[in-house]
Amino acid sequence: MRDARRIVVKIGSSSLTTAAGGLDADRVDALVDVVARYLGAPEDEDSKEIVLVSSGAIAAGLAPLGLDKRPRDLARQQAAASVGQGLLVARYTASFARYGRRVGQVLLTSDDTSRRAHYRNAYRTLDQLLAMGAVPIVNENDTVATDEIRFGDNDRLAALVAHLVRAELLVLLSDVDGLYDGNPSTPGTSLIREVRGPHDLDGVEIGSAGKAGVGTGGMVTKVEAARIAAGAGVPVVLTSATRAADALAGRPVGTYFHRTGRRSAGRLLWLAHASAPRGALVLDDGAVRAVVERRTSLLPAGLAGVEGEFSAGDPVELRDAAGRPVARGLVNFDAREIPRLIGRSTRDLARELGPAYEREVVHRDDLVLLRH
């Protein structure tokens, strides 16, 4: 932890805002005070590069729009995010300016970042901001999200960003000082100091809601984010915002999740954990074996059916004959084109429909397994 130079820090809504909505300037300044302490000149060997994944846009927009609580409908959530995101970045800009630091806003969508070119662009932008001494402020692009917005998604986003920027540590900050083996308010429960693998959490009751009322992620999404990051080779510290300085200093604090895997192909992690499938392709038994065991591309000859409406380039699930998902990938054809491809060879399709059809339905470079 002490040797980690590139770190992703995620801060939750409840640690930045009031229960009534609106940013708490003192809380933002307190976080910035800690982060700025560890930012040095790029040429300084002891300096750290920090990417800040910050929730709080929707919560910050509630009071200015006259909303007394988080709205249920997507349109008003997006309106609150639109107002709140500007206030959030303005607050960070002013706070970091006290230390002569600039910030850069980076809004990401899971759909964009699953695609090869967009993934590379996101990495280059974040890497360049860090190289120039700026602090990236990352958030989900809530104002254009098509699925229901959930504050807890930023925990998962932080895990994926940690992998994207090749971070050496992920710090998840909330209003709880770590992971407990039960409800922290119940007498007799204990802080879990270390998690070396999934079995360490067998029988542990994990809460699902934050206590401040402005976020909905709670401990469930934090543990899931820690699992994703640790499985991708990034260790994780889970603790409270008030212990941020200790976490960045490498002191034993909160719950430490050890690495459980190695770094994988970057955007495939996004494809597996952040994309929303737009439809499904049903595979015959031979195609399932080829994709899962031999890690090959999916060819038209292995198709047995298609479900849903999707366009070329969309993420889709690959399912076996029993309907079980076995993989996820980016499809090369529209859903309406798939029926005429089912069970046919690429050579026959090219001869009948043209050379554009002599290709994979899902290329192995755009495919990630969901079970082995």
Side-chain angles (χ1 to χ4, degrees), residues 26 69 125 318 324 330:
D26 291 338
K69 62 181 179 180
T125 298
L318 278 58
R324 294 181 296 242
L330 303 180

Side-chain angles (χ1 to χ4, degrees), residues 77-271:
Q77 288 175 22
Q78 291 175 322
S82 178
V83 171
Q85 185 63 34
L87 296 172
L88 185 65
V89 173
R91 183 62 251 171
Y92 276 123
T93 299
S95 192
F96 274 107
R98 295 177 297 142
Y99 296 93
R101 288 282 176 177
R102 293 183 175 86
V103 304
Q105 175 178 259
V106 180
L107 300 179
L108 296 175
T109 66
S110 60
D111 182 61
D112 283 343
T113 324
S114 299
R115 304 173 193 273
R116 186 182 292 108
H118 291 198
Y119 185 90
R120 287 198 303 264
N121 288 340
Y123 169 74
R124 282 196 292 260
T125 298
L126 288 164
D127 192 58
Q128 190 61 54
L129 283 169
L130 292 170
M132 299 177 75
V135 181
I137 309 295
V138 180
N139 201 352
E140 184 178 5
N141 197 350
D142 289 340
T143 59
V144 297
T146 55
D147 298 316
E148 183 179 2
I149 297 171
R150 294 167 295 171
F151 282 132
D153 284 349
N154 266 355
D155 294 313
R156 181 182 300 180
L157 176 63
L160 297 169
V161 167
H163 187 265
L164 169 65
V165 301
R166 303 168 188 172
E168 296 161 301
L169 180 67
L170 169 62
V171 178
L172 298 174
L173 302 175
S174 68
D175 51 5
V176 182
D177 64 348
L179 176 63
Y180 283 77
D181 57 8
N183 189 328
S185 62
T186 302
T189 56
S190 302
L191 177 68
I192 300 173
R193 295 288 181 180
E194 295 182 73
V195 177
R196 297 183 179 274
H199 295 303
D200 287 351
L201 299 180
D202 288 347
V204 175
E205 296 180 11
I206 301 174
S208 60
K211 64 185 180 183
V214 294
T216 60
M219 197 57 67
V220 169
T221 60
K222 290 169 180 56
V223 171
E224 173 65 12
R227 184 189 68 79
I228 293 171
V234 183
V236 181
V237 176
L238 170 59
T239 190
S240 64
T242 58
R243 305 301 298 273
D246 291 328
L248 291 177
R251 302 187 187 102
V253 63
T255 303
Y256 182 74
F257 292 79
H258 291 261
R259 298 182 186 91
T260 58
R262 295 180 298 176
R263 189 174 299 277
S264 60
R267 66 192 182 84
L268 296 185
L269 197 71
W270 289 77
L271 187 60

